[in-house]
Amino acid sequence: MTETDSDESGSGPASRYRQPTAPMNDLRRVGANPDFWYPVALSRSVRTGRVLATSFAGERIALYRGESGTVHALEDRCAHRQVPLSMGVVEGETLRCCYHAWAYRGDGRISQIPYLSKGDGRPPRGVRGYPVCEAYGLVFVFPGDPEKATVTALPDLPAFGSAQYKTMTFSRSVRCHYSFMHENLLDMNHQFLHRGVVGRLHPELLEYRTGPRSVEARYLFTHTGGKRNRGASLLAAEGIGGSDSADVMTIRTDYPYQTLDLVPENAERPAFRLWTAYVPEDAEQRTCHAYGLLMIEKPRIPGALHLAWPLIRRFTERVFAEDRMAVEAEQRAWEEQGEDRNHEVFPLILDVREVLRANGVPLRSRAATCGSVAGDDPASEPGHHPGGPGTSAKPGSAVELPGR
């Protein structure tokens, strides 16, 4: 194994051993940095004129698609009585609360309170609106500082939509801290876990590179015996009968995303490319939602991949189920022990933990998450764009609240 970029990462010899992390630096208590684009739903799940409830790290978000086809993302609570807006009704490009029919624009500003009369108390200014965009069949939101959204790029996936690849999409909740998922994919020494579907695989770490925001590892995979699932052979472009060829697998954590490319022996391009994101759902970030895009190279025979699709899907689902079993067991151990007693000896994983820790943010306490009410104090809501109240109306009539 060769290690490079050691000056940048502070890495030492590959054989070094580090003591377990002290509780105050426990990676499982580090939150995901919100200043990135995170997928929170499949595009097809947000239908025109409908609302979908989702979340990021305990922040409940209501997604809705207006009549124009545009998706909007709002804080999932009405500023009036705190009833979830995800229970509301879409009217054109606005979202109306199901309780008292307060209407919200796509940026979170209140556009109408049906019964507001002249002289009534000044209404709240609205709720938080999140920057949102669609790409790769996913709905992304920017849960951090909205001013950073315009200068923060979405992940670049050139194989998605390419005529040479067909994409399989995954969306699953996993009951573990997102860091366990990064470690699981990057550490290919766990292939014994998958012996029932891939046979006996020997992963050899060729090299890895570490930077301030990334860790990249290259493995050489050889099949040393045992029965191999047909879906695994088809995914690796080895045909229905499989082969004994060696494959090179490159895995990269590029905070906060992960990618995996598998290039068969003597191949010009990857047989498949995987992109994944692990989105924390709850405030404690002990559950994450894994979104995956598996881009599979199309074989020369037309229609062959279509026929192989069910076998590949079944194989990938089984591998994911085994991985989920393992990482959820790790999470349970952490909760039972109250701290991270992990004794890791693989330098690659020690380095990715440092990357995740350095780029993450402190977990907010439950009180901090629930203590402030967005919209009631606009100065406390970064990126909030309030509207103003109406100036005149007949008693009992609706007042339109213009935006600024």
Side-chain angles (χ1 to χ4, degrees), residues 215-386:
V215 176
E216 181 178 285
R218 291 179 65 246
Y219 291 90
L220 178 66
F221 270 82
T222 52
H223 188 250
T224 60
K227 186 177 180 181
R228 194 173 188 183
N229 183 280
R230 289 183 177 180
S233 299
L234 292 168
L235 181 59
E238 296 175 354
I240 197 73
S243 71
D244 294 327
S245 64
D247 304 322
V248 174
M249 184 178 288
T250 302
I251 310 168
R252 181 179 178 87
T253 286
D254 193 359
Y255 194 93
Y257 316 118
Q258 266 193 321
T259 58
L260 184 155
D261 291 351
L262 183 137
V263 180
E265 190 174 18
N266 301 321
E268 297 180 358
R269 55 178 174 265
F272 67 85
R273 312 190 75 173
L274 174 67
W275 175 89
T276 61
Y278 314 117
V279 184
E281 295 184 323
D282 57 314
E284 293 80 11
Q285 302 197 20
R286 297 182 185 180
T287 300
C288 66
H289 199 103
Y291 292 91
L293 301 173
L294 181 62
M295 294 153 279
I296 307 170
E297 185 184 24
K298 296 178 181 178
R300 295 180 181 178
I301 303 173
L305 185 55
H306 176 75
L307 295 174
W309 204 253
L311 292 173
I312 295 174
R313 168 68 79 169
R314 195 174 301 121
F315 162 71
T316 54
E317 292 285 4
R318 183 171 173 183
V319 169
F320 183 83
E322 291 174 347
D323 284 333
R324 178 161 55 184
M325 174 191 66
V327 295
E328 289 184 348
E330 289 186 284
Q331 179 67 50
R332 287 194 301 272
W334 183 90
E335 292 171 354
E336 291 166 359
Q337 295 163 356
E339 62 181 356
D340 196 344
R341 298 184 185 177
N342 193 297
H343 289 76
E344 183 55 63
V345 297
F346 194 24
L348 171 62
I349 298 306
L350 296 172
D351 282 352
V352 77
R353 288 180 180 176
E354 290 303 317
V355 167
L356 296 175
R357 187 179 291 109
N359 288 278
V361 296
L363 277 178
R364 292 179 299 169
S365 68
R366 187 81 179 169
T369 304
C370 305
S372 61
V373 180
D376 293 344
D377 180 10
S380 68
E381 276 299 316
H384 188 68
H385 303 288

Side-chain angles (χ1 to χ4, degrees), residues 75-85 95-104 108-110 112-116 120-128 373-376 401:
E75 180 184 0
D76 193 8
R77 64 165 195 91
C78 180
H80 179 214
R81 297 282 189 90
Q82 313 302 301
V83 172
L85 288 175
L95 178 58
R96 192 176 292 277
C97 178
C98 71
Y99 196 11
H100 290 82
W102 287 28
Y104 295 83
R109 294 178 294 184
I110 297 173
Q112 186 195 61
I113 299 175
Y115 52 85
L116 183 67
D120 287 347
R122 180 182 175 90
R125 298 192 177 189
V127 297
R128 180 179 181 183
V373 180
D376 293 344
L401 303 179

